[in-house]
Amino acid sequence: MPASIAPLRVQLQKPIRIIKEAKGSVSLLGLAFYYDFTIWQNFGTGSTPPTLKSYLKIRRWGLYLLSHCQNLRDPSPIPNTGPSYINAEKVPHRAGVRPKLTRWTLPQRQFPVEITPRAKAMLHGMMSGFASASPYAMYIDAAPSKAEGDAGEAIYVRQDVEGMNPDARKTFYEVAHVHPSGNSLHVYVSPADARLVMERRWGERFPVGWLALPSWMMLYAPRNEDEVSVVREIVRAGVCFAVGRELKE
């Protein structure tokens, strides 16, 4: 090899190595991206279309919200005003640590926790149970959740209810729904009740404030029959708030 070429070859080896390493890094990033995208799809995307375009939008929102340092367990952004329908004696402080939520902005989900078979049956029959029982049946219906892309059952206020909370229209008349995969819920309650729910560690705020009302809450999945009873009391309060009156059983 000519002496003039040898130094040039040595000089080229470093950028070639950098390019190879960069290609390897890009491949790993691509695999990580694809893995996260498929896990997001498999977890259930609710009413969000399970497409790459939707995933990228959700990720952009996540970066925006991360930059604003939201603490979804902080009740202070919710005004402590208005009526309260929760019987506080039926909503004690939740035992144990809070569940871990998934890393995606939407859908808002928690990782599954153990739940007794009877508690699960009670939970997933709750929406239809309210809609078929007195005194609620004359004010609400049960139907697939539009907010969840028809994936779970929900409670809806009937549109002809007199004295209805006008904000119920902003949730498209939906009061609450259960997530089939992880057994958590979303429910629209009064601001005062939302603060109590958060202070007693049963749930947290919805992350995307421009898509939902401030007191649209995520409730953690119950783990046993006693916790289903607590969740039921919170959902009952949501029904009362939506229809604009206290409903006594």
Side-chain angles (χ1 to χ4, degrees), residues 86-104:
I86 288 179
N87 181 343
E89 293 181 358
K90 294 184 177 181
V91 183
H93 284 82
R94 184 180 181 275
V97 299
R98 293 178 187 261
K100 183 179 179 182
L101 270 60
T102 61
R103 57 185 171 272
W104 308 291

Side-chain angles (χ1 to χ4, degrees), residues 23 41 50 62 85 101 107 111 113 142 177 204 206 208 217 228 238:
K23 285 182 177 179
Q41 287 181 312
Y85 296 97
L101 270 60
F111 286 101
V113 295
H177 60 250
E204 55 191 73
F206 190 71
V208 189
M217 304 293 298
V228 172

